[in-house]
Amino acid sequence: MTTADRAEADPTAARGEPVPNALARGFGLLGDEWSLFLLRLMLQGLTRYSEFRAALPISHAVLTARLDTLARAQLVDKRVYQQHPVRSEYVLTERGRSTWPILVSIWGWERAQVTHHAYATPPLHHKTCGHDFLPVLTCSHCHATTGPRDLKSAWGPSGGWRESVPETTTRRRSDSRRTAVEHSFYPDTMAVFGNRWSSALVGAAFLGVRRFTDFQTLLAVPPGLLSDRLSSLCAHGILEQVQRAPRPDWAEYRLTAKGLAFFPVIATAIAWSERWLGSERGPAVSIVHRACGSAFHGVLACDQCGAVLNGVDIQIGPED
């Protein structure tokens, strides 16, 4: 596709504005807590509107909107099972079912890294080996456990800093709704995923960006908003401010151990986005595993038996 073709297909290209790539679209879609809620419930077998309403503190309007969003994004099929009155069920497509590594990575990170929960986070149980487990990210080629420092990343043909900022806006709800959700889902995860700029900042941090001015320049984020998002990520223990020189403006923001441990969530979300929303121009990001020299394709494995995980072999265990 030529530049002219892209401009015709997307008016923002004609104005010289960044065209959102697979990462922007994927992280924008997945960065909504209600959507993640619904995908989790569907993976657990729920399909009907009444079941979602019973399981979530959600209004009719918001639930309808999120289900419509998931259907438009082809993560679910809406199927009418009754005509009078009309009632529908929502069944995961292959695209929707393939989000399970992201949700398992979130669950494992919260259980391992977030010490104080106001909500239940039962263990994950691996039916194949019979043990409770935590997921570990491994290289599909050499099977080695892999973290961000084991990888070499570069922008691909459709990549770029501004092109990869998630396509979404921060979504807020009333205090009563927020309180109800915080007792059943993941505020720490949503501190990263639930805000387009926070998500972009953590992604940039994994790619080696550390200074305030570099975040601002590369991502074109307003300075006041940047300061707010960095403060929030530091408050949640994802980033930490490190003073590198006497001048305050020389401070760096580095990923903490907790932040580095979030990498499987990022990696699985990147893989899902590239698979389902990728550009004909090529991938947004190119990742190579330094140890084996292969293009990195991550798979989750059980930390107890080492076997590669399959979504159907995972169940949520009893509460502690």
Side-chain angles (χ1 to χ4, degrees), residues 162-226:
R162 300 184 187 183
E163 290 83 354
S164 303
V165 174
E167 277 191 307
T168 188
T169 57
T170 303
R171 300 175 177 88
R172 300 184 185 275
R173 63 167 60 83
S174 68
D175 288 339
S176 61
R177 289 289 184 185
R178 187 179 301 116
T179 299
V181 169
E182 286 182 350
H183 281 270
S184 53
F185 201 49
Y186 305 125
D188 282 62
T189 293
M190 296 316 299
V192 180
F193 251 25
N195 180 281
R196 67 190 300 251
W197 291 115
S198 293
S199 184
L201 290 171
V202 171
F206 275 114
L207 290 174
V209 180
R210 293 179 177 175
R211 294 188 60 191
F212 187 100
T213 53
D214 293 333
F215 285 118
Q216 183 181 359
T217 301
L218 293 170
L219 298 173
V221 54
L225 186 56
L226 173 57

